[in-house]
Amino acid sequence: MRWALVKVSLAVTTMVVVAFAVPLGLVIRELARDRAFSNAEREAAAVAPALSITTDRDQLERVVASAGSDTGMAVHLPAGDGQEALELGRRRAAEADIAAVRKLGRASTTGVAGGSTLLQPVALSTGKIAVVEVYVPESDVTNGVGTAWAVLAAVGVALILGSVAVADRLGVRMVRPAQRLVEGAHDLGEGRLGARVPEEGPSELRLAAVAFNSMADQVVQLLANERELAADLSHRLRTPLTVLRLNTASLGEGPAADQTRTAVEQLEREVDTIIRTAREAKPQTAAAGPGAGCDAAEVVRERMAFWSALAEDEGRKWRVAGADRPVRIPVARADLAAALDALLGNVFRHTAEGTAFAVDVHNGEDAVIVLVSDAGPGIPDPEAAMARGRGSGSDGSTGLGLDIVRRLAESTGGDVRIGSSVLGGTEVRIWIQLDGRAPATGGHRQPRRRRPGRLAAAYHRSRSRSR
């Protein structure tokens, strides 16, 4: 589009320049010719008064010399009254042309070698007609024409280049917003839901950008609603399944009990497969676009209220710390809820009834730490557990929970660590960056391990109070 506009501007400007420059060049040439012959007419007119008074050769030679060059002017006097025909100066015109002017009695021009001549008739006192011949060289006729044409050509080239430059700038102003709109649509089609287009350029493209951004916001909202629905369904399924699995332990031994436990395990695997498939089909949290953040404290309180009912049924003590004030993080609400449910579900699934657990939130300047700890037997090999979290899996563990948590943390530039908790069991630390770093693309990225001093101090104070 940009080059098409430049080509059109080049063609139109060239035609306009040619349409004006060619006639103007011809006019300049005619003006130069008229100027040269006007000078020749003035020289011929300077001799006419002398011819009307005298035909003496000496006097006429002095007049011719004062009026012009001897080589540029000639006077042709006819014969009469006993005098022979007299010619002063160099004759260049043909005799026939001189006779024609003398007969017709009006001035005429004729071409000669190297230029042209002006033949001007003059009436003598004897009634005869003399002819004054003034030579006009070709250089006088074209004097200044080449320079004028060069100036016209330079002006024409400057106009063409100027129009091309202006068209190029206008093309850029029109094409750049269109290119950004194309790139934004391409990014949105590849799943980068944070893609937005600057609302600039011509009015039509601005309206297109506004429509695109509105569409992208609606897509983000629809996907967020879908994820909320998926998270809600997963919560509804996981909790009854956890209760069923715990209740199967009281069925004792026997074929019916074994079949029940097998069916519950199979159902859990199927649910995990459905949730994993749905999660892998969704984009990263950081690409969820504007408005994807949430209040971590509010989500923690909500999910702990959800799991507290099951905790009371199993006689588990639980504690929440750091969730009394808002803590904004660049993570979608549904993602954080899914990560907490995954970790709390692991606590209920892999620890005995009556095992205490806790959730702590630590807010720093550029990072937020969420700790989920329990008083269970702990994880003997945290590295292997994190390997399962990347999807390698093993018998008895799908690795889905830690995979959900790892994706959430790394989408903000943070990471996940597994260690020993102050309660004596496992502690899963979720490090969430707040500086808007984009998630890594391709492969597992080494996360940043820097910890702000204020956040580290709060983190260690919390652990000391728990001891």
Side-chain angles (χ1 to χ4, degrees):
M1 181 178 179
R2 173 184 175 185
W3 294 116
L5 183 60
V6 170
K7 290 178 180 178
V8 171
S9 176
L10 177 61
V12 172
T13 307
T14 302
M15 288 189 295
V16 172
V17 168
V18 170
F20 280 92
V22 171
L24 188 57
L26 296 176
V27 169
I28 290 175
R29 187 179 67 176
E30 291 300 321
L31 289 176
R33 179 181 177 85
D34 292 343
R35 182 182 65 244
F37 280 96
S38 296
N39 293 334
E41 289 176 356
R42 282 196 299 270
E43 292 179 5
V47 180
L51 288 174
S52 63
I53 298 173
T54 182
T55 60
D56 182 69
R57 182 184 185 94
D58 294 335
Q59 292 181 3
L60 291 177
E61 285 181 350
R62 288 194 297 270
V63 172
V64 169
S66 63
S69 173
D70 293 341
T71 60
M73 179 181 292
V75 178
H76 306 285
L77 296 174
D81 296 335
Q83 293 183 353
E84 297 181 355
L86 178 63
E87 290 190 1
L88 301 177
R90 179 182 175 184
R91 184 169 66 104
R92 291 180 175 82
E95 184 64 31
D97 294 332
I98 297 174
V101 169
R102 185 177 286 126
K103 180 180 180 181
L104 296 174
R106 61 172 179 267
S108 175
T109 60
T110 181
V112 297
S116 302
T117 59
L118 172 66
L119 301 176
Q120 179 69 45
V122 178
L124 300 177
S125 59
T126 60
K128 302 291 185 180
I129 300 297
V131 176
V132 179
E133 177 184 347
V134 181
Y135 174 62
V136 181
E138 189 66 27
S139 58
D140 289 350
V141 175
T142 59
N143 183 28
V145 175
T147 302
W149 283 3
V151 172
L152 282 177
V155 172
V157 171
L159 288 176
I160 292 174
L161 294 179
S163 67
V164 169
V166 172
D168 181 70
R169 291 300 89 197
L170 291 176
V172 169
R173 183 173 177 268
M174 295 178 60
V175 171
R176 187 170 296 169
Q179 289 177 341
R180 290 175 178 171
L181 185 61
V182 172
E183 292 172 358
H186 185 266
D187 292 342
L188 186 64
E190 289 187 347
R192 291 188 283 273
L193 302 183
R196 295 297 183 273
V197 178
E199 298 173 4
E200 58 185 20
S203 59
E204 295 81 2
L205 292 177
R206 286 201 303 270
L207 292 176
V210 171
F212 175 84
N213 293 337
S214 177
M215 178 193 68
D217 292 338
Q218 291 181 3
V219 170
V220 170
Q221 185 60 42
L222 290 175
L223 289 178
N225 294 339
E226 292 287 342
R227 301 182 80 169
E228 289 284 353
L229 179 60
D232 183 62
L233 292 176
S234 66
H235 299 157
R236 294 180 185 182
L237 291 174
R238 280 182 176 275
T239 302
L241 286 175
T242 302
V243 175
L244 286 175
R245 184 181 58 78
L246 296 175
N247 289 339
T248 55
S250 62
L251 296 178
E253 302 296 334
D258 292 340
Q259 290 177 0
T260 302
R261 282 189 286 269
T262 301
V264 172
E265 292 175 358
Q266 178 66 25
L267 186 56
E268 283 185 326
R269 285 193 296 269
E270 294 295 336
V271 171
D272 289 341
T273 301
I274 294 173
I275 296 175
R276 181 187 293 112
T277 302
R279 247 194 110 66
E280 289 177 352
K282 294 182 176 68
Q284 295 283 351
T285 301
C294 70
D295 182 1
E298 181 182 357
V299 176
V300 168
R301 292 194 302 269
E302 176 186 323
R303 299 323 303 160
M304 287 300 292
F306 178 86
W307 288 96
S308 62
L310 185 58
E312 292 177 0
D313 292 341
E314 295 188 358
R316 297 176 182 267
K317 294 182 179 180
W318 56 275
R319 175 180 57 82
V320 177
D324 53 340
R325 287 182 294 180
V327 180
R328 297 296 303 181
I329 59 174
V331 173
R333 181 186 186 90
D335 290 343
L336 180 59
L340 289 173
D341 286 341
L343 294 179
L344 294 174
N346 286 341
V347 172
F348 281 83
R349 186 178 295 107
H350 300 295
T351 61
E353 294 186 9
T355 301
F357 66 95
V359 177
D360 298 90
V361 180
H362 302 281
N363 188 14
E365 294 178 355
D366 66 347
V368 171
I369 292 178
V370 178
L371 300 175
V372 178
S373 54
D374 61 64
I379 298 178
D381 191 352
E383 293 185 1
M386 286 305 299
R388 290 197 303 273
R390 295 190 189 101
S392 61
S394 63
D395 294 339
S397 176
T398 63
L400 176 64
L402 289 178
D403 184 61
I404 293 174
V405 177
R406 178 183 62 81
R407 289 189 181 193
L408 177 138
E410 291 185 354
S411 69
T412 67
D415 65 353
V416 177
R417 300 286 184 83
I418 297 178
S420 299
S421 73
V422 295
L423 299 179
T426 302
E427 176 187 86
V428 179
R429 189 209 69 180
I430 309 173
W431 185 282
I432 300 174
Q433 285 295 134
L434 302 179
D435 55 4
R437 285 160 48 101
T441 57
H444 182 63
R445 175 184 51 79
Q446 183 69 22
R448 185 168 67 175
R449 300 175 182 272
R450 178 175 61 87
R451 176 177 293 154
R454 185 180 301 177
L455 180 58
Y459 173 75
H460 290 299
R461 284 198 302 270
S462 174
R463 292 176 63 88
S464 298
R465 287 197 300 269
S466 300
R467 288 191 179 95

